[in-house]
Amino acid sequence: MDSSDSHDSATSGKKSGRTSLLDSGEDFEVLNEEDIDDEPPPLEDAGGGKGKNTDERTNADTDSDPPGPVEEWLDVLGNDQLKKKVLEEGKGRDSRPQKGQNVKINLKTCLSDGTLVEEQSDLSFTLGDGDVIQALDLTVMLMEMGEKALVQANAKYAYGERGSLEPEVPPNEELSLEVELLEASDAPDLELLPPAEKTALAIHKRERGNVHYQRGDYAFAVNSYSIALTITESSSKVDITPEEETLEHQPDNIKALFRMGKVLALQGEYAEAIQTLRKALKLEPSNKTIHAELSKLVKKNSEQRGAEQALYKKMLGNPASSSSSSSSSSSQKHWAKSSWGLSWKWLFGATAVALGGVALSVVIAARN
């Protein structure tokens, strides 16, 4: 080691050890000015050897493999039953589709053990309308345009306790979905849709409601039936034939209204259920089944309103009922006396008015 290296080491040791010496209270030697070398240390040694350590870290970083992309699962609902992981990034958050838009995706569905269920290309549906399983409705809204994602869905957000025959999915089966978002566009204006397209769209929504109804998903059934009825009852700005005007009178629409009314009744929404069944009865006045169900709901609604009114009266009862029996008795006597006096006064007044009216009528008649 040469003199410059020795001097650099001493200087570095002095600089790094000054605080510890002061803190420990030990004696240390103060250097004279002539003992300090005016020449700066070589560039490579400046900083007490820090350059060497930096070079070592740089070499180590260069030798090591670069880290791959971080694989993170997004817990969509916070219950660990619906998770999403990005496989390929999309075009940014601003490209995410909105509820009510029509989207197109590529979909690969597998069971939890990796068994392929089906592959679908260019699958189109309206986001948020319940056209597909809930797992897709909830996760596609979080995807960016062009993004590929992997979705793990509990059976609750797939085909539930009953499973599915088409596609073939066992009961209570978790699914793995590989999704690619291709495009998104605004839903068409119902008033500008040709009658044939409007009919097809209404039938699709109604059939989806039937699926929900059969599976016991009544809230989703009501939603799909409501959308179908909205499409059916929407006005049109295009020319239609008399045959096309009978769309809303189809038997399937009457059945959808009837089912929707029953679902609303099961949920305790008697007023809405009655309104829905009346729509169905208007389309088919001779339907005895609708008549019977409507009469039953009207009776239940009346009983419910009576029970609510009784409850309100009980809640708004006389707060003075907790007073002593003596004061209560005297109050009742005073009230009775006052009521008697008021009744007589009212009776005398009413009699006087009546007599005056008769007299006036006699005078007018005599003049005439």
Side-chain angles (χ1 to χ4, degrees):
M1 179 183 295
D2 57 18
S3 59
S4 63
D5 290 341
S6 301
H7 175 75
D8 294 340
S9 301
T11 305
S12 176
K14 185 187 76 170
K15 289 182 179 179
S16 61
R18 180 176 298 173
T19 302
S20 61
L21 289 172
L22 287 173
D23 292 341
S24 62
E26 296 180 1
D27 295 334
F28 60 94
E29 180 180 1
V30 179
L31 296 177
N32 296 326
E33 292 183 0
E34 58 270 15
D35 295 334
I36 301 176
D37 194 353
D38 293 335
E39 296 181 2
L43 182 62
E44 62 271 16
D45 291 339
K50 289 183 181 180
K52 182 178 181 182
N53 294 338
T54 305
D55 292 340
E56 291 177 356
R57 287 198 302 270
T58 304
N59 293 334
D61 293 340
T62 305
D63 295 339
S64 62
D65 294 331
V70 179
E71 296 184 354
E72 294 185 355
W73 285 98
L74 171 65
D75 190 351
V76 177
L77 301 175
N79 57 6
D80 204 37
Q81 294 184 351
L82 183 62
K83 297 187 292 184
K84 170 184 172 289
K85 180 172 67 174
V86 177
L87 300 179
E88 293 184 15
E89 297 285 349
K91 298 181 180 179
R93 295 176 64 92
D94 293 340
S95 64
R96 289 181 177 181
Q98 303 296 320
K99 182 178 179 180
Q101 286 189 314
N102 291 339
V103 297
K104 184 181 292 186
I105 64 171
N106 288 335
L107 175 65
K108 180 180 179 181
T109 305
C110 297
L111 302 181
S112 56
D113 61 2
T115 303
L116 178 64
V117 176
E118 64 176 348
E119 288 189 75
Q120 297 171 278
S121 298
D122 297 337
L123 173 64
S124 298
F125 60 95
T126 304
L127 201 57
D129 275 12
D131 296 343
V132 290
I133 59 175
Q134 198 175 359
L136 285 175
D137 253 343
L138 293 172
T139 54
V140 171
M141 281 193 287
L142 303 176
M143 295 182 64
E144 301 170 359
M145 196 59 56
E147 176 185 329
K148 288 185 179 180
L150 186 63
V151 176
Q152 289 185 352
N154 184 277
K156 179 180 179 181
Y157 303 103
Y159 292 98
E161 298 178 353
R162 301 185 182 184
S164 173
L165 295 177
E166 183 60 38
E168 187 175 352
V169 177
N172 295 311
E173 179 68 27
E174 295 185 359
L175 294 182
S176 177
L177 311 171
E178 189 173 318
V179 188
E180 180 184 7
L181 180 57
L182 302 176
E183 63 180 56
S185 59
D186 293 335
D189 188 343
L190 294 178
E191 294 184 339
L192 300 178
L193 270 184
E197 293 184 20
K198 183 183 291 189
T199 301
L201 184 59
I203 291 174
H204 172 71
K205 301 296 184 182
R206 187 182 63 234
E207 289 176 348
R208 189 63 189 172
N210 293 341
V211 171
H212 290 309
Y213 184 84
Q214 293 165 2
R215 298 178 63 83
D217 297 331
Y218 296 130
F220 292 104
V222 169
N223 181 64
S224 295
Y225 287 145
S226 298
I227 295 173
L229 293 172
T230 300
I231 296 170
T232 301
E233 296 173 353
S234 63
S235 59
S236 181
K237 293 182 179 179
V238 298
D239 295 333
I240 58 176
T241 64
E243 291 79 10
E244 292 169 337
E245 289 182 351
T246 62
L247 170 63
E248 63 180 14
H249 299 281
Q250 293 179 357
D252 288 339
N253 289 332
I254 298 172
K255 184 186 294 184
L257 282 167
F258 181 72
R259 284 182 172 179
M260 182 176 173
K262 292 191 69 174
V263 169
L264 289 169
L266 288 174
Q267 296 175 340
E269 303 290 342
Y270 293 121
E272 294 183 22
I274 290 171
Q275 184 179 2
T276 303
L277 289 181
R278 282 175 176 166
K279 286 183 180 180
L281 196 61
K282 183 179 179 181
L283 298 177
E284 192 173 346
S286 61
N287 193 310
K288 295 181 180 180
T289 304
I290 299 176
H291 269 290
E293 188 69 22
L294 184 58
S295 299
K296 185 170 65 176
L297 288 183
V298 169
K299 182 179 179 181
K300 285 186 178 180
N301 188 43
S302 178
E303 293 174 352
Q304 185 185 51
R305 293 181 64 182
E308 290 176 352
Q309 289 177 357
L311 180 61
Y312 294 153
K313 288 180 180 179
K314 186 176 181 181
M315 293 173 61
L316 300 175
N318 185 9
S321 59
S322 60
S323 60
S324 61
S325 58
S326 58
S327 59
S328 176
S329 177
S330 61
S331 298
Q332 290 177 357
K333 291 179 180 179
H334 176 73
W335 179 83
K337 184 177 179 180
S338 300
S339 300
W340 179 256
L342 289 172
S343 300
W344 276 108
K345 289 179 181 179
W346 180 86
L347 181 60
F348 287 140
T351 303
V353 171
L355 290 174
V358 172
L360 182 60
S361 300
V362 171
V363 172
I364 292 174
R367 288 181 179 180
N368 292 335

